Amino acid sequence: MRSVLALPAGERPRERLQRLGSSALSARELLALIVGSGSGGASSFDVADALLERVDGSLTQMAGLPPGSLERVPGIGRATASRIRAALELGRRAALEAAPHRPRVHGPDDVMRLLGPRLRDLRHEEFHALLLNAQHRVIRSVQVTRGILDASLVHPREVFKAAVVDSAAGVILVHNHPSGDPTPSLEDRAVTRQMASAGKALGIPVLDHVILGHARFVSLAAQGELRGSSAAQPGTP
């Protein structure tokens, strides 16, 4: 593969970025800039190509790779992997800041729309808390755990500490099933009851627990798991 230095000066990613702006560069070129000089005989373009092939060209899949996966791509060491993860996280945060207003959650369809692109293709489970204000508009999403969901590992303080700090009026629990089947397990239901009980004691109700699959989702509130709660569901007056 041709190295960056073998290209005419005007065609190199750094010069193109300075002349045309970052939006003019392909994902391959941007990754090559982050990788730098490459290693082990592989050019930065070689490394970028290998990484994009690893995730089928999807930056969303790249952002969701578990720890250590990037380092398994030839030419990517710990320092380069850290730079790539940092760049992806900065992009995610910039996208959130660019939103014209905080989206309002009317129901589980909105939860799927907001967090589905981030969670549905992951190969591991992630458990998030979607913090809402009194109008059921999103304050922010908090990642609580990464890995298999276990009631003994998901402690209410990890969810409600952030909710208290941000003065949230309600919380929606969200996690994914890497199998693609969002059918709730007994553990999922146990976590829901545990969190709902803690939220009731703190005055920050759990409005729903939405489980995301590849193309489907399940709302535990719709299944009656949170029945008896005095909290209004998202989108209700």
Side-chain angles (χ1 to χ4, degrees):
M1 178 64 64
R2 199 178 189 187
S3 71
V4 171
L5 293 177
L7 294 172
E11 295 181 20
R12 295 172 187 172
R14 183 174 298 155
E15 284 71 19
R16 278 172 42 77
L17 184 146
Q18 292 173 344
R19 187 175 74 254
L20 303 173
S22 57
S23 62
L25 273 65
S26 66
R28 177 178 184 250
E29 290 174 305
L30 292 170
L31 282 170
L33 279 175
I34 296 171
V35 168
S37 59
S39 64
S43 73
S44 57
F45 277 144
D46 292 335
V47 177
D49 288 337
L51 179 54
L52 287 169
E53 183 178 355
R54 169 77 169 76
V55 296
D56 298 323
S58 169
L59 296 178
T60 300
Q61 286 190 40
M62 191 184 302
L65 288 174
S69 290
L70 287 174
E71 290 92 324
R72 288 197 286 272
V73 175
I76 295 182
R78 182 173 298 178
T80 301
S82 296
R83 290 198 300 272
I84 293 171
R85 289 190 183 281
L88 290 168
E89 179 60 20
L90 283 172
R92 187 188 70 82
R93 295 186 188 186
L96 290 175
E97 288 183 8
H101 58 79
R102 292 176 174 175
R104 187 175 184 185
V105 177
H106 297 277
D109 294 275
D110 291 327
V111 175
M112 180 67 164
R113 177 176 55 81
L114 289 168
L115 291 183
R118 176 171 180 172
L119 299 180
R120 63 191 174 200
D121 294 323
L122 296 181
R123 299 177 185 178
H124 60 275
E125 287 193 11
E126 284 190 5
F127 183 80
H128 289 241
L130 199 60
L131 309 184
L132 306 181
N133 66 15
Q135 290 75 45
H136 294 141
R137 294 193 181 277
V138 175
I139 299 173
R140 65 183 174 115
S141 174
V142 179
Q143 181 179 319
V144 181
T145 64
R146 182 188 184 112
I148 296 174
L149 191 62
D150 186 325
S152 66
L153 299 178
V154 183
H155 198 284
R157 68 170 171 263
E158 303 301 330
V159 173
F160 293 101
K161 178 181 178 181
V164 169
V165 168
D166 286 348
S167 300
V171 173
I172 296 178
L173 310 176
V174 190
H175 85 280
N176 64 304
H177 281 180
S179 67
D181 180 2
T183 302
S185 66
L186 293 177
E187 195 66 40
D188 294 337
R189 298 182 187 279
V191 168
T192 304
R193 291 190 294 269
Q194 178 190 37
M195 293 296 170
S197 177
K200 185 175 182 180
L202 290 168
I204 305 175
V206 172
L207 304 175
D208 202 347
H209 183 177
V210 181
I211 303 172
L212 307 181
H214 291 325
R216 298 185 296 123
F217 62 83
V218 168
S219 162
L220 287 174
Q223 290 194 349
E225 196 67 50
L226 294 167
R227 191 169 295 152
S229 168
S230 60
Q233 292 303 304
T236 60

